[in-house]
Amino acid sequence: MAISSALWSFALVVGLLTLTPGLDTALILRTSALGRRRRAWGVVLGIQTGTLVWGTFTSLGVTALLTASHLAYTALRWVGAAYLIWMGFRMLRDTFRGLPSAGQDDSAPAAGVDSVGGGWRQGTLTNLLNPKMGAFYVAVLPQFIPPGTGHFTMGFLLTAVHILIGLLWSAILIGFARVLQGWLRRPQARRVLDRITGGVIGVFGIRLALSN
């Protein structure tokens, strides 16, 4: 498989994966729709930081140890599930208690204040605590590395393709979310969005906890 062919084929696979609505999409849309563009871009950069870490570790062969170790994989899976369930529960709880949408502190699991750093931490944690990302890279990345090429260099190039696609799609999501800002000025609309997003995040956490 030629290098250019491998890059295009991998781009198709991860492109379809990126376009599939999921946890990342929910976090980016919700944060941006609430008018916190800097924090939304922080979330995006955090997610892509996690992708870079998973891709680099896979290229070095480190993530193969994670997937080979049942104990390590299970421990990371439970930690990630607990984090997502807590984040979703807190968002849902705040809407029913009538607390201000999006929280007021940088550590809140909701949108929080409009800071890149807070969003980056949230995006990075969400990505790195998902062991399925590591399993995906271990299973998929080696298949697109042509024989005779440097494993680490080619793996890094493939990861860069994934990150580029993720950044482009995130920019589209953030731009689309601006359309919702007028509607979200109403407290009731914000509560609806928080309940939807909190429910999605909680369901992802529960699925992660119950998965093999």
Side-chain angles (χ1 to χ4, degrees), residues 28-48:
I28 295 169
L29 276 177
R30 192 260 178 188
T31 307
S32 182
L34 291 173
R36 287 156 173 85
R37 290 176 59 83
R38 281 182 289 185
R39 186 178 178 99
W41 275 110
V43 171
V44 171
L45 294 176
I47 291 170
Q48 301 312 321

Side-chain angles (χ1 to χ4, degrees), residues 7-72:
L7 291 174
W8 281 109
S9 299
F10 186 74
L12 176 61
V13 172
V14 296
L16 293 174
L17 177 67
T18 302
L19 293 175
T20 303
L23 176 61
D24 294 349
T25 301
L27 283 175
I28 295 169
L29 276 177
R30 192 260 178 188
T31 307
S32 182
L34 291 173
R36 287 156 173 85
R37 290 176 59 83
R38 281 182 289 185
R39 186 178 178 99
W41 275 110
V43 171
V44 171
L45 294 176
I47 291 170
Q48 301 312 321
T49 297
T51 300
L52 178 62
V53 171
W54 284 120
T56 302
F57 280 6
T58 301
S59 300
L60 293 171
V62 176
T63 48
L65 300 177
L66 172 66
T67 55
S69 171
H70 178 73
L71 178 61

